[in-house]
Amino acid sequence: MTARTSSASDVLRERANKLTPAGVHSNVRMTGPLVFFERAKGGWLWDADGNDYVDYLLGQGPNFLGHAHEQVNARVAEATSKGLIYGAQHPLEVEAGELFLDTLGWADMVRFSMTGTEADQAALRLARAATGRTKFVRFEGHYHGWLDNVLLAYDDEFHPIAASPGQMESHLDDFYTLPWNDLGALEQLLADKSDDIAAIITEPFMCNTGAVSPQPGYLEGMRTLCDKYGIVLIFDEVITGFRFALGGASERFGVTPDLATYGKAMAGGWPVAALAGKAELMQMFAEGVNHSGTFNASVMACAAVAETLKVLRDDPPYERVEAHGTALMAGLRELATKHDLPLRVQGVGMAFHASFGHNEVVHNFRDLQSLDLDRYNTLSRKLMDNGVWVAGRGIWYVSAAHGDKELNAALERVDATLTAGGF
């Protein structure tokens, strides 16, 4: 492996630190090396010093087609040459909306927004308006954005606490928090508190932390309980939507929500999100429930959505993404055995989680805390130093652009990192 340089990134970091807190524009990026990237293509990144990285972070997931997809970018460039924001409607939003709903298969209507955080808030507002109730149920370890009423940390007994200074503690009263994959706990809570509860919001696959699949019958049971008590079921598919299948996790697991939020994989890396759902709920936006945004359904967003969905429909990449991720997981396990390390891998080909610790399957966030997450975070920094770009929290994302070249490069660089040690 060739030596890596960092002089250009060092200079940029010094300049950035004078301009913006911690030199970054999202606190999530404070946890990784302050590398500055100049370009990306397919499954690769190149930093300001010319070092290359095989990328299994994919911008936190959005680059499902790989970086700088030519067909998508060409469509966006052509569309935006005519204008970007009209303050009114345009034909592309109709095209994108029709393709979006036809691809999902289950939803009646859609609203585009900018971020998953916004889409989640719109879903919760609809649920409250529809039910006249104020509370919602969420699950430990699930992420629904950074606003006061959804951002969470936990004390030693897994009680929810504010995750940030300045966060309104009173907003934590908006929700009940339960362990994931515990249907009995959910049944008991709804039996006692259903009159207060407007919605259950959940990642259908716990992707943001741990890559945890739902237990057999868990999502089905959740659906049944929502029907029984008149509660709106919201799937947060910001990560899983269009990544797990054309119809997202709802297609993969065979459970249909009332509302679902989408982002990341739906637009080839362009910033856009969406809320989709049943007509009787979505139509409430036309009847007084507010959902606004200057950049909602922008020309660039809708062009990216329309073209990305055409690519996914014309040449579905799901089998090869699953195969690549499965081979990568197997390779990581083999390297762990070779180096006599307790590295464990869990998840599916599209998104999996790596950590250190026992080999038992993790079923929820509490199980995840029994692993040596700090040790893996140290390893992740070593991997990034050696040209494998991954998340410190353990999640690995696979794209349609990853092939044999990327797989071989990743495993060679992981092997070299494990050989060097220091984690």
Side-chain angles (χ1 to χ4, degrees), residues 16 21 40 45 75 101 108 147 176 192 197 230 264 268 288 350 406:
L45 297 161
R75 180 72 187 280
L101 292 172
D108 300 319
L147 298 187
Y176 300 104
D192 295 339
I197 297 170
K264 297 190 186 285
M350 287 79 173
E406 290 74 22

Side-chain angles (χ1 to χ4, degrees), residues 27 163 179 204 286:
N27 276 33

Side-chain angles (χ1 to χ4, degrees), residues 26-324:
S26 170
N27 276 33
V28 173
R29 298 172 201 159
M30 290 170 59
T31 61
L34 293 180
V35 176
F36 285 77
F37 291 106
E38 285 196 336
R39 63 188 178 95
K41 183 65 178 176
W44 294 85
L45 297 161
W46 287 266
D47 68 22
D49 292 284
N51 302 307
D52 64 37
Y53 304 76
V54 59
D55 184 16
Y56 287 101
L57 180 57
L58 302 176
Q60 301 290 349
N63 294 292
F64 183 56
L65 294 178
H67 292 278
H69 192 276
E70 292 180 3
Q71 183 175 330
V72 175
N73 285 356
R75 180 72 187 280
V76 174
E78 187 277 331
T80 55
S81 68
K82 304 172 185 177
L84 306 179
I85 305 293
Y86 300 124
Q89 292 59 250
H90 55 91
L92 263 175
E93 67 188 52
V94 177
E95 178 186 350
E98 288 174 342
L99 277 167
F100 184 95
L101 292 172
D102 187 65
T103 303
L104 275 187
W106 68 268
D108 300 319
M109 305 184 86
V110 61
R111 272 281 183 101
F112 293 121
S113 62
M114 284 292 293
T115 68
T117 293
E118 294 172 75
D120 282 345
Q121 292 297 316
L124 293 172
R125 179 173 288 179
L126 273 188
R128 288 181 170 123
T131 63
R133 305 169 187 169
T134 59
K135 304 272 191 181
F136 63 94
V137 179
R138 59 167 304 167
F139 301 94
E140 295 166 356
H142 290 212
Y143 181 76
H144 306 296
W146 63 277
L147 298 187
D148 280 8
N149 67 332
V150 288
L151 187 65
L152 273 190
Y154 305 90
D155 65 18
D156 292 340
E157 296 181 349
F158 294 99
H159 298 133
I161 58 175
S164 170
Q167 185 178 358
M168 295 285 287
E169 291 272 1
S170 60
H171 287 197
L172 303 185
D173 295 335
D174 288 354
F175 52 79
Y176 300 104
T177 306
L178 294 176
W180 168 248
N181 265 331
D182 187 340
L183 189 59
L186 182 60
E187 289 172 334
Q188 185 61 59
L189 175 67
L190 297 189
D192 295 339
K193 302 289 187 180
S194 62
D195 289 346
D196 297 334
I197 297 170
I200 296 174
I201 186 168
T202 182
E203 296 179 54
F205 175 92
M206 193 174 118
C207 206
N208 191 67
T209 53
V212 179
S213 295
Q215 292 280 75
Y218 182 62
L219 294 179
E220 292 87 346
M222 192 181 294
R223 174 72 273 177
T224 298
L225 289 168
C226 284
D227 291 339
K228 176 180 179 180
Y229 291 109
I231 293 169
V232 177
L233 179 58
I234 303 169
F235 279 1
D236 185 333
E237 289 224 51
V238 171
I239 296 177
T240 56
F242 304 100
R243 169 175 288 278
F244 275 41
L246 280 172
S250 58
E251 175 187 327
R252 187 170 183 130
F253 298 121
V255 177
T256 302
D258 300 304
L259 297 169
T261 58
Y262 299 88
K264 297 190 186 285
M266 64 186 276
W270 287 84
V272 60
L275 170 61
K278 295 180 178 179
E280 59 267 28
L281 292 169
M282 296 294 294
Q283 188 64 28
M284 295 180 71
F285 284 138
E287 299 167 353
V289 177
N290 186 270
H291 169 248
S292 303
T294 298
F295 294 99
N296 290 358
S298 68
V299 170
M300 48 279 200
C302 290
V305 170
E307 203 62 26
T308 296
L309 295 184
K310 287 180 181 178
V311 171
L312 292 176
R313 289 157 64 106
D314 292 346
D315 183 21
Y318 299 101
E319 288 188 7
R320 65 179 184 271
V321 171
E322 188 88 49
H324 182 99

